[in-house]
Amino acid sequence: MEQFEPERLSAAQVAAMRRSLTGGRGALTRRSLLRASGAGALTLGGLASLSACGIPPARRDGATAASDDHSDKEKVINFSNWTEYMDLSEDEKVHPTLEEFTKRTGIQVNYTEDINDNVEFFGKIRPQLAAGQDTGRDLIVVTDWLAARIIRLGWAQQLDPSHLPHAFANLIPQYRSPDWDPGRAHSYPWTGINTVIAYNTKATGGKKVDSVTQMLDDPTLKGRVGFLTEMRDTVGMTLLDQGRDPATFTTPDYDAAIARLQKGVDTKQIRRFTGNDYTSDLDKGDLAACLAWAGDVIQLQAGNPDIQYAIPAVGYITSSDNLLVPARARHKANAEKLIDFYYEPPIAAQLAAFISYVCPVAGVKDDLAKIDPALADNPLIIPDEEMTARAHAFRMLTSEEETEYEEKFAKLIGA
């Protein structure tokens, strides 16, 4: 069996992950930023463990990562997810959709909210995966860059399309074939995460802000503009503004985007680069406009009618959190049944109504309208044709590119 050296994380990659954990997406509970206190920062030792050199494990692809499936005899699924990323009853005692799944199939779901951030969680399961052992989990939810890493290392099982008729039929086109998992051989999205422009109309004097160019050049916004400390979001949106495709850009394209942002820093047009704390600044008007995550905008608008958003004409960056079956999981077929269950439109609508992120399932609008008509008409949850046409994914990076790009980005933001 082929041997390989585990991927090491460079200092720049570790620094970028630390930013994500303490202020970026990694610090958020996945439903409501306003209710979140933020995930605890991963210790330096924990980060170091991800880049430490160890005994090289045997490389496996998704087909050979499987173990004997005990689904027929053991009617159970061990499911790890982020906090507040599942529908909950009013008395907060049960998850209605999981209860429905068990009632329908007889399969008990041991549901655990033990993912606070991608890096910390990967640190938990990496030793077992590297050793070819069962992690004790049949289904996990991780963000696309970590899903790509796990798949690349051969630590995710290939899914059986025959067990996923609803998922195959109902996955919306924009998520069907990411470059890190062509054809969704190993994964299906749990939710989508869109990066948009948010602005406070009180702070802008009623002016709409709808492009990165306006954010960087409008003198009335000087010193009140925010960009994100997440490289893929900030650079991706800037690439689009410069007429470059985030799915195919080159290093010179990347450097031009960094230079454009650097000018905004030098002229003090940009107030600062923020993590999830942009919500407070935007709500108060300290930031007139900023890059923002769409799920947060929905939550902010519920309490402040001055908060608006815009989708640039050139498009926006989209990513996803994804369902994976880890290598050596004991209950793969059961896990596939649960994945498929959440791609039934009535079930997907129940989930979307609770978590307020982009629903990756086609045909949910009528079911969501029965729950909340406003959510059904919100393109941040159910993208319409115009919004879908503007979606762009940031391409997969090689380890060398990630190190180089993160070093340049860290210099830009002063990290």
Side-chain angles (χ1 to χ4, degrees):
M1 188 174 290
E2 176 189 1
Q3 300 288 310
F4 81 111
E5 187 72 11
E7 292 182 89
R8 295 180 178 85
L9 299 180
S10 68
Q13 289 171 309
V14 170
M17 290 177 177
R18 186 182 292 111
R19 291 197 304 273
S20 180
L21 302 185
T22 57
R25 281 189 200 146
L28 314 181
T29 59
R30 304 310 260 193
R31 178 172 181 254
S32 173
L33 197 52
L34 303 181
R35 294 176 58 187
S37 60
L42 189 61
T43 65
L44 292 177
L47 284 168
S49 71
L50 298 186
S51 56
C53 179
I55 300 173
R59 184 177 181 86
R60 295 177 296 277
D61 62 28
T64 59
S67 61
D68 292 337
D69 195 340
H70 299 264
S71 294
D72 287 341
K73 295 181 179 179
E74 299 175 6
K75 299 298 182 181
V76 65
I77 301 168
N78 298 310
F79 183 8
S80 285
N81 203 348
W82 298 76
T83 57
E84 299 188 60
Y85 221 16
M86 179 66 74
D87 58 307
L88 192 63
S89 61
E90 290 188 8
D91 61 9
E92 299 188 352
K93 292 183 178 180
V94 300
H95 300 289
T97 55
L98 291 179
E99 292 283 303
E100 171 63 24
F101 176 78
T102 297
K103 180 179 178 180
R104 185 189 303 184
T105 65
I107 299 171
Q108 180 66 42
V109 182
N110 296 325
Y111 184 74
T112 307
E113 295 180 330
D114 61 345
I115 306 179
N116 290 315
D117 60 67
N118 287 287
V119 180
E120 182 182 48
F121 182 67
F122 189 50
K124 290 179 183 178
I125 64 175
R126 182 182 184 276
Q128 293 101 318
L129 292 171
Q133 299 172 353
D134 178 14
T135 66
R137 298 167 175 87
D138 302 302
L139 195 61
I140 61 175
V141 178
V142 293
T143 304
D144 47 15
W145 67 264
L146 181 55
R149 183 182 294 272
I150 291 172
I151 292 169
R152 185 166 65 244
L153 290 169
W155 293 344
Q157 297 195 43
Q158 289 185 9
L159 302 175
D160 186 341
S162 70
H163 294 166
L164 299 161
H166 295 99
F168 182 81
N170 294 333
L171 177 60
I172 63 177
Q174 75 180 74
Y175 296 117
R176 280 198 173 270
S177 193
D179 60 0
W180 48 268
D181 189 23
R184 289 289 179 181
H186 306 84
S187 68
Y188 269 90
W190 180 248
T191 59
I193 304 169
N194 292 341
T195 304
V196 300
I197 294 174
Y199 59 99
N200 185 320
T201 56
K202 188 174 182 179
T204 66
K207 180 185 295 186
K208 181 178 182 179
V209 182
D210 59 4
S211 72
V212 170
T213 290
Q214 184 181 0
M215 291 173 68
L216 291 173
D217 292 345
D218 187 337
T220 68
L221 302 177
K222 185 172 182 178
R224 298 185 298 147
V225 169
F227 284 80
L228 294 165
T229 55
E230 296 281 352
M231 181 269 286
R232 287 168 175 81
D233 295 304
T234 286
V235 176
M237 292 290 280
T238 306
L239 284 166
L240 284 169
D241 191 71
Q242 294 181 309
R244 300 294 183 264
D245 186 349
T248 59
F249 71 91
T250 64
T251 294
D253 295 333
Y254 183 91
D255 290 343
I258 292 291
R260 180 77 171 98
L261 292 161
Q262 185 65 57
K263 181 180 177 182
V265 172
D266 295 342
T267 61
K268 302 189 184 306
Q269 180 79 6
I270 297 175
R271 182 184 183 93
R272 64 192 184 102
F273 293 86
T274 70
N276 61 310
D277 52 332
Y278 72 81
T279 56
S280 175
D281 287 350
L282 184 65
D283 191 44
K284 292 184 296 183
D286 292 341
L287 285 175
C290 64
L291 296 187
W293 293 305
D296 305 339
V297 174
I298 295 172
Q299 300 296 326
L300 284 169
Q301 287 180 322
N304 187 345
D306 295 326
I307 303 301
Q308 300 295 322
Y309 75 92
I311 306 299
V314 294
Y316 64 96
I317 293 294
T318 188
S319 57
S320 59
D321 284 338
N322 306 275
L323 295 153
L324 296 178
V325 177
R328 308 304 175 192
R330 288 176 60 89
H331 310 108
K332 174 174 175 282
N334 289 345
E336 290 168 335
K337 288 180 181 178
L338 186 60
I339 294 172
D340 199 59
F341 173 76
Y342 278 102
Y343 273 79
E344 297 179 17
I347 303 302
Q350 291 182 57
L351 180 65
F354 188 84
I355 64 176
S356 299
Y357 278 81
V358 179
C359 180
V361 182
V364 302
K365 188 167 185 175
D366 289 345
D367 291 292
L368 188 55
K370 296 174 184 177
I371 302 170
D372 188 332
L375 293 179
D377 290 331
N378 192 328
L380 297 184
I381 296 176
I382 302 180
D384 54 23
E385 290 185 8
E386 180 182 4
M387 188 161 183
T388 298
R390 297 184 188 180
H392 297 267
F394 198 95
R395 71 171 172 84
M396 184 171 61
L397 303 178
T398 66
S399 182
E400 293 77 14
E401 284 177 326
E402 189 168 0
T403 296
E404 177 186 354
Y405 294 171
E406 288 290 3
E407 285 176 349
K408 293 174 179 177
F409 188 69
K411 183 178 179 180
L412 167 74
I413 67 176

